[in-house]
Amino acid sequence: MPPIHSSPYYQMDNPAILSLLRHTATGTGEPKRSKSSSTGGLLKIFKLFPMLTSGCKMVALLGRPRKPLLKDSATTGTIFGFRKGRVCLAIQEDPHCLPMFVIELPMLTTALQKEMASDIVRIALESETKTHKKKLLEEFVWAVYCNGRKIGYSIRRKHLSDDELHVVQLLRGVSMGAGVLPSPNEKEASACTDGELTYMRARFERVAGSKDSEAFYMINPEGAAGPELSIFFVRNH
């Protein structure tokens, strides 16, 4: 497997993506902190969000904030997968409804964890479909990039798999969180070779650049520092 480039701008020269990028102010002249270990980004998310573990299916809620953590217009995004398997992305208007977009990314969960250690993760999905009869998120075939490096192709799910439906049902009451979920089949959990089923759910600000470009920016709880995760959808003309 080729090395993963940590730079979020590596080969990310699509004009539609560049127009959606929002540069975060990092201060004046302050050096960027060094990269942590490969699981550092995931651990930061675990500390940032409430947990849901296989030992307890109740969500450990954060203390009640002085101001609302979520925007009413925010979209729910979930990244999940077995530790030794590929990672899936699901986007929902609301945690209580079925996802409007689900796709298995051509990327291992461990590889995504390494990218999150860089604190900036930009996932771009590019459709090469020439027709514009469908809405952008209704396209099926996508080229997938992570931090600017092309990692392969994926096909949007038309129907949820049993494992994906299992995750959606378990997280119906969860607005944001990160942790480990019970296996879809407890009897086979001990024999599973893909490891534990992990997830990270957050609220995303949805920005439409045009009918051919959209972006989703992860919203961290107010006052909490965490990885900057952005997801871009682009359709070429």
Side-chain angles (χ1 to χ4, degrees), residues 87-89 99-105 137-140 142 154-164:
V87 66
C88 292
L89 168 66
M100 59 182 174
F101 185 90
V102 178
I103 196 169
E104 182 184 76
L105 302 177
L137 296 188
E138 293 177 351
E139 297 291 355
F140 279 99
W142 298 89
S154 288
I155 299 177
R156 177 179 67 85
R157 291 273 198 265
K158 191 172 183 179
H159 302 289
L160 296 180
S161 68
D162 291 340
D163 287 351
E164 292 159 354

Side-chain angles (χ1 to χ4, degrees), residues 64-212:
R64 180 174 295 180
R66 295 181 180 178
K67 296 181 180 180
L69 291 178
L70 306 178
K71 293 184 178 181
D72 292 337
S73 59
T75 302
T76 299
T78 310
I79 294 175
F80 61 95
F82 291 96
R83 291 191 188 276
K84 297 180 182 179
R86 293 189 175 186
V87 66
C88 292
L89 168 66
I91 298 176
Q92 299 165 261
E93 291 289 353
D94 182 270
H96 296 280
C97 65
L98 288 175
M100 59 182 174
F101 185 90
V102 178
I103 196 169
E104 182 184 76
L105 302 177
M107 185 179 196
L108 296 176
T109 302
T110 52
L112 180 60
Q113 291 175 2
K114 291 179 181 179
E115 291 291 347
M116 284 188 170
S118 68
D119 290 337
I120 298 178
V121 180
R122 291 194 170 106
I123 298 174
L125 290 87
E126 185 179 65
S127 172
E128 299 178 356
T129 305
K130 301 301 181 182
T131 179
H132 299 284
K133 294 181 179 180
K134 297 179 181 178
K135 294 181 179 179
L136 180 59
L137 296 188
E138 293 177 351
E139 297 291 355
F140 279 99
V141 181
W142 298 89
V144 183
Y145 299 79
C146 183
N147 280 351
R149 185 177 67 86
K150 189 173 183 177
I151 56 177
Y153 287 87
S154 288
I155 299 177
R156 177 179 67 85
R157 291 273 198 265
K158 191 172 183 179
H159 302 289
L160 296 180
S161 68
D162 291 340
D163 287 351
E164 292 159 354
L165 185 60
H166 170 77
V167 172
V168 170
Q169 290 176 337
L170 281 181
L171 298 179
R172 282 193 65 187
V174 180
S175 296
M176 59 182 179
V180 178
L181 293 172
S183 171
N185 191 331
E186 295 291 351
K187 294 181 180 179
E188 298 178 0
S190 58
C192 181
T193 59
D194 290 333
E196 297 173 311
L197 178 58
T198 63
Y199 84 97
M200 187 277 290
R201 168 168 284 185
R203 300 288 279 173
F204 287 77
E205 180 185 356
R206 184 176 184 178
V207 178
S210 69
K211 65 178 181 179
D212 297 316

